[in-house]
Amino acid sequence: MEGTEKKSLFSAVQPSGAVTIGNYIGAIRNFVKLQEEYSCIYAVADLHAITVKQEPAALRRNTLGLMALFIACGIDPEKCVLFVQSHVPAHAELAWVLNTVAYPGELSRMTQFKDKSAKHAENVNMGLMDYPVLMAADILLYQAALVPVGADQKQHLELTRDLAIRFNNRYGDTFTVPDGYIPKGSGARIMSLADPSRKMSKSDENPNGFVTMDDDRDTVIRKFKRAVTDSDTEVRFDPEHKPGVSNLLTVYCAFTGKGTEEAEREFAGRGYGDFKLAVGETVADALAPVQAEKARLLADKAYLSDVIAKGADRAFRIARKTLSKVYRKVGFYRGE
Ligand code: TRP
């Protein structure tokens, strides 16, 4: 029926190590909700991952681990197209063509490129600079209308739009110009447990600052017990004056589905020790079934390989249509 076709939505996560509960709350959990409403395409972005140094064995392990985690979190490979980016050569191929409409000036101005260049000064490579063009290729190949992105990727999405418009202007209508998608009620930005003024990150040199999806129960509880709060005693949501406590409340609410006021009432008159323990236990309880399912999937190599192969095949079928169109538009000889 006309008008009932679902809009397509693309997103990806890099298999570059641990996935934190911040990544889960901010991204993966929303991917699960979105699969009902949209035609979703999700990738494990291994081509992006090698723009910084990766240990090859770890990259392989993390790629499989992220696939298993996606599924364990509830992404259904029957409902979505779930695949590994490097299995679909069209990503690298389209990135090459898009490079010819991307300017070095705009790429070198990207905030993430500048940050990563400073952080990996010994390995500032062309891939790091070209990263947003590859990301544009990811999105444009699937003619995605929507791309859920966090604040740190907004600039890259803007560039994707610019490249799409520029290409369309030069060669005629080819790409859907995508919009960013901010899921309802997903304002939750999870901060470091060690320094609530900074975003939770797996690259934090203090491992107590972040909780990963693989942390065992004792580790999770220990990290929450050590979380930095303040010298007050009241459990109240006030990010400006009580960033640590507010962050813990955000985590608690994200995993319980409760509202902040309800959570505040629940902890009224109870000390921080009690509160932190409750948050830690809640998170550990929520992670346990996901970890068990991930382990079960990783033990079922035949199933995972099948999902990965089918995902690549489905992605390839969509991607090659766009790539053929692009090759035709730019004038590559395709036979008479
Ligand atoms: N760069 C994104 C990140 O690190 C991952 C990514 C790769 C992506 N390709 C994408 C996200 C396309 C959205 C759309 O978070």
Side-chain angles (χ1 to χ4, degrees):
M1 231 192 304
E2 211 182 326
T4 56
E5 198 171 311
K6 288 180 180 175
K7 280 192 176 177
S8 69
L9 178 148
F10 184 94
S11 201
V13 176
Q14 295 187 59
S16 48
V19 175
T20 71
I21 57 168
N23 304 133
Y24 173 71
I25 295 169
I28 300 176
R29 196 174 60 140
N30 295 318
F31 292 180
V32 179
K33 293 183 196 148
L34 293 166
Q35 65 187 345
E36 308 301 332
E37 207 173 326
Y38 299 101
S39 168
C40 294
I41 301 147
Y42 297 130
V44 172
D46 55 350
L47 296 174
H48 278 100
I50 61 164
T51 57
V52 300
K53 276 212 181 76
Q54 301 290 335
E55 178 62 44
L59 180 59
R60 251 188 299 276
R61 199 170 51 243
N62 289 333
T63 299
L64 200 63
L66 186 52
M67 266 288 174
L69 179 66
F70 274 155
I71 302 168
C73 288
I75 291 176
D76 181 347
E78 300 290 325
K79 276 188 200 148
C80 309
V81 177
L82 179 62
F83 71 105
V84 178
Q85 187 187 28
S86 68
H87 294 182
V88 181
H91 291 253
E93 293 172 294
L94 181 59
W96 177 254
V97 176
L98 292 176
N99 271 330
T100 64
V101 294
Y103 309 130
E106 62 190 347
L107 295 178
S108 61
R109 273 197 303 275
M110 292 281 128
T111 307
Q112 192 174 78
F113 173 66
K114 290 194 279 189
D115 290 350
K116 287 193 180 177
S117 301
K119 201 168 155 208
H120 306 275
E122 77 305 335
N123 185 28
V124 181
N125 60 84
M126 284 306 295
L128 195 60
M129 186 162 148
D130 209 30
Y131 178 114
V133 178
L134 178 60
M135 196 165 144
D138 295 344
I139 297 164
L140 300 179
L141 269 179
Y142 301 93
Q143 305 287 358
L146 299 170
V147 183
V149 282
D152 63 329
Q153 298 296 320
K154 260 204 183 127
Q155 206 179 26
H156 294 163
L157 184 63
E158 267 316 303
L159 182 88
T160 299
R161 292 171 52 89
D162 289 345
L163 296 181
I165 293 167
R166 216 175 281 163
F167 189 97
N168 286 349
N169 286 340
R170 188 175 304 178
Y171 296 107
D173 202 24
T174 308
F175 296 123
T176 301
V177 180
D179 284 311
Y181 179 85
I182 302 176
K184 301 166 208 91
S186 74
R189 186 158 174 252
I190 307 303
M191 312 306 282
S192 161
L193 300 185
D195 174 2
S197 68
R198 297 198 343 223
K199 197 180 137 185
M200 182 180 283
S201 163
K202 61 163 194 284
S203 38
D204 193 334
E205 64 280 2
N206 181 354
N208 290 322
F210 58 90
V211 172
T212 83
M213 296 302 287
D214 292 319
D215 280 348
D216 62 35
R217 186 175 188 84
D218 289 349
T219 306
V220 172
I221 291 174
R222 178 171 45 77
K223 287 179 177 177
F224 278 102
K225 273 189 183 161
R226 289 196 186 165
V228 169
T229 47
D230 51 53
S231 53
D232 190 24
T233 53
E234 195 189 359
V235 176
R236 181 164 48 84
F237 189 76
D238 180 352
E240 198 187 325
H241 300 105
K242 298 169 72 69
V245 168
S246 303
N247 186 42
L248 296 179
L249 275 169
T250 302
V251 171
Y252 184 72
C253 292
F255 280 102
T256 55
K258 291 177 182 170
T260 35
E261 283 169 23
E262 185 184 354
E264 282 173 346
R265 275 197 301 277
E266 195 178 331
F267 293 106
R270 288 164 67 181
Y272 282 175
D274 235 22
F275 169 54
K276 290 183 194 178
L277 180 64
V279 181
E281 285 178 338
T282 300
V283 174
D285 287 347
L287 296 189
V290 175
Q291 291 170 353
E293 180 62 3
K294 181 181 167 192
R296 192 189 68 76
L297 289 162
L298 285 173
D300 190 351
K301 288 278 176 329
Y303 170 75
L304 266 188
S305 310
D306 187 57
V307 165
I308 289 170
K310 284 197 179 121
D313 191 58
R314 289 172 64 198
F316 172 76
R317 284 165 199 278
I318 308 170
R320 77 167 168 200
K321 281 199 194 128
T322 304
L323 190 69
S324 302
K325 192 167 160 191
V326 167
Y327 279 7
R328 240 182 5 256
K329 297 263 187 184
V330 300
F332 289 163
Y333 180 74
R334 314 304 285 160
E336 300 301 337

